Amino acid sequence: MDKFLIKGGVPLKGKIEVSGAKNSALPCLAAALLTDETVILHNVPYVKDLITQRRLLEDLGATVLTPELRTHKISATSIVTFEASYELVKTMRASVLALGPLLGRFGQAKVSMPGGCAIGTRPIDLHLKAFEQLGAVIELESGDVVARAPKGRLVGAEIGFEKVTVTGTENVMMAAALATGKTTIRNAAREPEIEDLAELMNRMGARIRGAGTETIEIDGVEGMNGAEHTIIPDRIETGTFIAAAAITGGEIEITRCNPSHLRAVIAQLGTAGVEIAELNQSTLAVRRSASGLKAADVTTEPHPHFPTDMQAQYMALMTQAEGDSLIRETIFENRFMHASELTRMGANISIHGNEATVHGPTKLSGARVLASDLRASASLVLAALCATGETLIDRVYHIDRGYEMIVRKLRSIGADIERIADSSSANAEAGQGV
Ligand code: EPZ
């Protein structure tokens, strides 16, 4: 498996560009299944998860052309199967996003039930319950979810999510778009990716109102058409780069981002001593304040609050802050795997249930560490960038899932990082040249 070798201690300087949002591109590709016309998506990030999603669509019978690396032309004209295989779902949970559009358009879908993952059990019970409220019959057969609309078409309904779920909201939006009648989703997720999906779907002829708020209303339509859409920038990649500048004491400009999508992150990092200036609607200038990093408590919550996908990176940053910071993780029950690896580098972190206290600052020194999931691997890269000596990060296939050309991008602002490719692993990165 590929590894990263990082020599720390270099203040990052220069301009770094943000790619399209993985967590918007995934549902937007799935939404193309809702029509037999062509959907063109621009700014699709070239990361492993999108390559998997593309394969999923092709396995179903869609054609996906890429006239340019980040442009996908998807035609779901002749869907030959309604089944998303275990092979694919086990590598990427987001494959469950095929359920909604297949059920909505064809009245049937079969998707392997996703198992747990490093950060939590992550059930999809709320997705399935909502589909049942839309009139679907759901059965579990040898590990597969088999869903069908007995009347051939779903029927609009009132859906109140007990818990805010991002892909649950997206799946129901896609299923309800072609249902008869009106669907109302209450306690819906409000992430910018939900708004982006709704914008694409409305361009495809859907009738969705209220995306981005707690209540989404969908008037079912008879059919949907092709459309062209540009995926929003990745707000978590943006947040990760802000932390990279701050933890190395560097000064960078982050371009092609959207500051309005990460207000809570910008506010929290500001409290912790990071100076973040909005140069314009798509550019941030970032540096550590002269008085240094200060400990600041944080709680992860659904949007518009501080995102769980920035928690690990924030923990790495707090190892360099003056004082004790309490980090409360309320979304996933097992999302502190990175803490023990950071401790191996010299961090001082104590964990009690879903609360971690970081005692800072401590000097970090290079070590061999193991990435356990996508955001944990980002936090280890950040720690390595400020540690003395060399760090070797193993299992970086996790980071390739959601960060496009991370080695090339960080090197472009001065980071001393290299990928030690495992000769046997033919991975997307190899295609990216670094
Ligand atoms: C999305 O996952 C993101 N993934 C995750 O990003 C992100 O961490 C998460 O939302 C929260 O913001 C994509 O968009 C592809 P949820 P999702 O359903 O939709 C529980 C990354 O790093 N729940 O909002 O799977 C669940 O267990 C990834 O890019 C149920 O109990 O998350 C969790 O505790 C990691 N039953 C909470 O709700 C359900 O049916 C929120 O999960 C669904 C969810």
Side-chain angles (χ1 to χ4, degrees):
M1 278 181 244
D2 287 12
K3 300 173 176 57
F4 284 170
L5 180 64
I6 300 175
K7 295 192 188 73
V10 182
L12 301 180
K13 297 221 180 302
K15 287 190 179 175
I16 191 165
E17 201 174 89
V18 167
S19 300
K22 165 184 80 82
N23 290 347
S24 177
L26 288 168
C28 285
L29 256 81
L33 292 169
L34 288 164
T35 176
D36 58 3
E37 294 181 15
T38 300
V39 171
I40 302 174
L41 299 175
H42 299 287
N43 203 29
V44 174
Y46 186 61
V47 294
K48 265 247 188 85
D49 276 7
L50 267 300
I51 293 167
T52 307
Q53 188 77 326
R54 174 186 174 164
R55 253 184 48 218
L56 170 66
L57 294 185
E58 288 168 341
D59 283 0
L60 296 172
T63 58
V64 184
L65 304 176
T66 49
E68 283 153 40
L69 190 61
R70 296 178 191 80
T71 294
H72 286 39
K73 285 180 94 169
I74 308 139
S75 304
T77 314
S78 37
I79 295 297
V80 291
T81 170
F82 310 110
E83 185 168 348
S85 70
Y86 173 71
E87 289 319 308
L88 277 175
V89 175
K90 78 173 182 197
T91 62
M92 183 184 70
R93 312 175 44 74
S95 312
V96 295
L97 286 166
L99 264 175
L102 289 174
L103 202 46
R105 181 175 163 202
F106 300 101
Q108 57 178 309
K110 184 175 178 180
V111 171
S112 173
M113 173 73 108
C117 86
I119 64 177
T121 52
R122 304 183 71 180
I124 58 166
D125 57 320
L126 302 176
H127 300 227
L128 303 182
K129 192 167 162 220
F131 291 142
E132 284 175 332
Q133 288 172 285
L134 292 169
V137 173
I138 306 279
E139 283 149 332
L140 199 56
E141 281 170 16
S142 15
D144 291 331
V145 174
V146 179
R148 56 186 179 79
K151 300 196 183 88
R153 198 171 168 200
L154 297 175
V155 181
E158 279 274 329
I159 292 174
F161 279 123
E162 295 146 38
K163 219 177 182 177
V164 171
T165 162
V166 175
T167 49
T169 302
E170 293 163 347
N171 241 336
V172 171
M173 274 164 60
M174 293 190 276
L178 291 169
T180 53
K182 179 179 176 182
T183 295
T184 304
I185 307 176
R186 298 195 190 287
N187 199 26
R190 303 167 57 189
E191 273 65 6
E193 293 77 27
I194 305 272
E195 288 188 66
D196 204 32
L197 174 63
E199 195 184 315
L200 165 65
M201 289 176 65
N202 283 341
R203 285 209 177 121
M204 293 169 67
R207 294 177 51 199
I208 303 173
R209 298 177 301 283
T213 75
E214 287 158 349
T215 306
I216 299 176
E217 296 178 333
I218 305 151
D219 294 328
V221 294
E222 293 303 317
M224 290 169 68
N225 47 266
E228 191 157 357
H229 181 72
T230 299
I231 302 288
I232 55 173
D234 196 309
R235 61 195 166 98
I236 305 299
E237 187 187 20
T238 307
T240 305
F241 292 157
I242 296 175
I247 206 167
T248 60
E251 197 156 344
I252 67 171
E253 255 185 46
I254 305 174
T255 60
R256 297 195 67 185
C257 64
N258 185 335
S260 71
H261 289 165
L262 61 163
R263 291 277 168 239
V265 172
I266 291 173
Q268 181 68 31
L269 293 173
T271 313
V274 186
E275 286 175 10
I276 306 166
E278 230 171 287
L279 301 185
N280 55 45
Q281 286 186 328
S282 63
T283 310
L284 290 171
V286 181
R287 65 180 181 189
R288 187 195 291 179
S289 71
S291 54
L293 296 171
K294 296 186 285 296
D297 300 349
V298 74
T299 298
T300 65
E301 291 174 85
H303 194 84
H305 306 293
F306 191 88
T308 174
D309 293 348
M310 273 299 298
Q311 180 256 97
Q313 300 92 313
Y314 188 76
M315 184 182 282
L317 190 66
M318 286 301 100
T319 66
Q320 301 309 299
E322 194 65 45
D324 291 357
S325 40
L326 178 71
I327 300 175
R328 193 176 291 113
E329 173 58 57
T330 71
I331 307 290
F332 293 109
E333 68 273 20
N334 187 35
R335 203 168 202 180
F336 286 145
M337 302 277 278
H338 40 282
S340 50
E341 297 302 300
L342 291 172
T343 303
R344 296 188 68 255
M345 297 177 74
N348 180 354
I349 304 167
S350 44
I351 304 222
H352 301 284
N354 73 334
E355 293 185 345
T357 304
V358 183
H359 313 278
T362 54
K363 245 185 147 352
L364 300 184
S365 48
R368 289 199 66 156
V369 291
L370 199 60
S372 53
D373 61 80
L374 169 60
R375 307 304 171 183
S377 40
S379 84
L380 298 180
V381 168
L382 294 178
L385 289 171
C386 78
T388 53
E390 288 188 347
T391 298
L392 193 64
I393 306 178
D394 208 336
R395 298 193 183 165
V396 292
Y397 61 82
H398 287 293
I399 208 167
D400 291 335
R401 297 188 52 177
Y403 289 86
E404 180 178 326
M405 297 188 184
I406 187 80
V407 172
R408 183 185 295 189
K409 285 190 181 184
L410 288 175
R411 271 160 63 148
S412 73
I413 53 173
D416 187 339
I417 176 171
E418 66 178 293
R419 172 185 294 272
I420 300 180
D422 174 353
S423 51
S424 65
S425 71
N427 64 53
E429 267 281 315
Q432 293 176 351
V434 280

